[in-house]
């Protein structure tokens, strides 16, 4: 097949434990670099892989999205098979699609859903330690859900933004937030929004956990939100419990 220019969209799953995050780093492995290298091995020319957004060191994904432009006759099915044979075991391409030329994984995204997993039981887990935050004290789910109500909707989330990461606007629309049980002793906080600030999910989770431990009451979460002061919120939850679940497009 003749080489024609095409825009290729990838849906990606990865275990972020051994990486310095999504974005290419000068000193350290990144998800983006591993996938770019595999693509370039197949097509034999340089490309730029465009992700829907960064995930930080140690954060995982089940539905990260990226795209790249290339001139090739390779089909999506061939890319799927070839890339998964070249990539390390902790990165899997779940889907490959050819998309319109103007599609951009980051700029066309209209929302994302993150999940934060918590192991809430007296004993830790050898298996779950890479994918959960272990909290031995029982969490009060009812009070956590009361606190979540204050964070749903359109708000200025500056109080939950990581320090040193200024944006033109810190206003975001959280369309859904829930606390769900995944298995005995394993709970998850799901958050869907039109966009996220750096560390926003992990800072919200750290604060909700303090509510669940009765270190804060639910109404204090509203005061933290309105303060726009990061020092008012709780400590950042560990990266290992966070998963990018899905990126939404029109």
């Amino acid at each position: 097949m003749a080489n024609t220019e095409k825009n290729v969209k990838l849906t990606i799953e990865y275990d972020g434990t051994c990486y310095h995050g999504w974005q290419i780093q000068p000193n350290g492995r990144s998800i983006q670099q591993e996938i770019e290298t595999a693509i370039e091995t197949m097509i034999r020319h340089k490309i730029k892989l465009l992700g829907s957004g960064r995930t930080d060191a140690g954060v995982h994904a089940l539905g990260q999205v990226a795209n790249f432009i290339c001139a090739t006759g390779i089909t999506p099915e061939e890319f799927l098979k070839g890339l998964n044979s070249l990539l390390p075991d902790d990165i899997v391409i779940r889907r490959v699609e050819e998309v319109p030329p103007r599609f951009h994984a980051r700029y066309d995204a209209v929302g994302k859903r993150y999940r934060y997993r918590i192991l809430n039981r007296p004993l830790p887990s050898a298996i779950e330690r890479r994918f959960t935050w272990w909290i031995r004290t029982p969490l009060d789910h009812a009070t956590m859900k009361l606190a979540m109500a204050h964070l749903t909707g359109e708000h200025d989330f500056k109080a939950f933004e990581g320090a040193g990461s200024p944006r033109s606007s810190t206003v975001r629309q959280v369309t859904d937030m829930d606390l769900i049980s995944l298995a005995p002793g394993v709970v998850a906080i799901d958050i869907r929004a039109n966009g996220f600030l750096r560390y926003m999910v992990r800072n919200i989770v750290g604060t909700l956990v303090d509510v669940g431990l009765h270190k804060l009451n639910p109404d204090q979460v509203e005061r933290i939100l309105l303060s726009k002061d990061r020092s008012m919120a709780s400590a950042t939850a560990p990266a290992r419990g966070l998963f990018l679940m899905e990126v939404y497009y029109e």
Side-chain angles (χ1 to χ4, degrees):
M1 183 182 287
N3 287 355
T4 55
E5 187 169 275
K6 58 183 70 175
N7 192 1
V8 181
K9 175 187 174 188
L10 308 177
T11 304
I12 309 156
E13 174 183 341
Y14 52 84
D15 171 355
T17 305
C18 298
Y19 296 90
H20 285 68
W22 165 265
Q23 191 175 36
I24 291 175
Q25 306 288 328
N27 299 300
R29 296 175 72 205
S30 73
I31 308 293
Q32 183 184 23
Q33 182 66 73
E34 294 285 343
I35 299 173
E36 276 194 11
T37 299
I39 294 167
E40 290 167 0
T41 299
M42 290 188 70
I43 65 176
R44 301 188 180 184
H45 67 78
K46 290 284 187 183
I47 58 98
K48 177 66 174 176
L49 187 64
L50 306 168
S52 71
R54 303 175 185 181
T55 54
D56 293 312
V59 174
H60 318 291
L62 293 176
Q64 172 67 290
V65 174
N67 74 289
F68 61 96
I69 307 291
C70 69
T72 182
I74 298 172
T75 66
E77 294 76 16
E78 290 167 339
F79 266 126
L80 185 67
K81 183 177 180 181
L83 291 176
N84 283 324
S85 71
L86 291 168
L87 287 165
D89 292 345
D90 49 9
I91 303 174
V92 173
I93 307 301
R94 296 178 60 179
R95 189 175 181 188
V96 181
E97 307 163 74
E98 190 172 344
V99 290
R102 295 177 65 87
F103 174 83
H104 192 293
R106 179 182 173 189
Y107 297 131
D108 289 350
V110 296
K112 294 179 182 177
R113 179 168 65 92
Y114 279 93
R115 170 170 290 175
Y116 195 96
R117 301 173 79 251
I118 297 169
L119 182 67
N120 191 207
R121 68 183 196 192
L123 290 175
S125 168
I127 305 302
E128 287 279 1
R129 76 189 190 283
R130 296 170 71 163
F131 307 110
T132 56
W133 180 14
W134 174 48
I135 299 171
R136 60 162 59 87
T137 306
L139 294 169
D140 184 335
H141 294 188
T143 59
M144 291 173 74
K145 288 185 176 184
L146 288 173
M148 287 178 181
H150 294 301
L151 300 172
T152 306
E154 185 174 85
H155 303 288
D156 188 333
F157 284 92
K158 188 173 180 61
F160 297 99
E161 181 181 37
S165 52
R167 304 275 187 148
S168 57
S169 172
T170 48
V171 174
R172 297 292 185 271
Q173 173 85 32
V174 172
T175 53
D176 190 51
M177 190 181 304
D178 200 8
L179 180 67
I180 56 177
S181 177
L182 300 178
V186 182
V187 296
I189 295 170
D190 268 23
I191 305 178
R192 178 175 174 170
N194 65 351
F196 291 89
L197 305 169
R198 190 174 189 198
Y199 299 153
M200 175 175 157
V201 176
R202 290 164 60 195
N203 290 336
I204 287 173
V205 169
T207 303
L208 291 174
V209 163
D210 277 353
V211 172
L213 296 173
H214 298 149
K215 295 179 180 178
L216 294 171
N217 67 57
D219 290 339
Q220 283 178 280
V221 173
E222 183 179 27
R223 290 199 289 273
I224 291 166
L225 180 70
L226 295 174
S227 76
K228 304 178 187 179
D229 182 355
R230 171 66 189 96
S231 68
M232 296 282 288
S234 300
T236 307
R240 62 182 175 271
L242 185 60
F243 289 75
L244 173 57
M245 300 297 290
E246 194 170 358
V247 183
Y248 301 102
Y249 297 92
E250 292 288 1

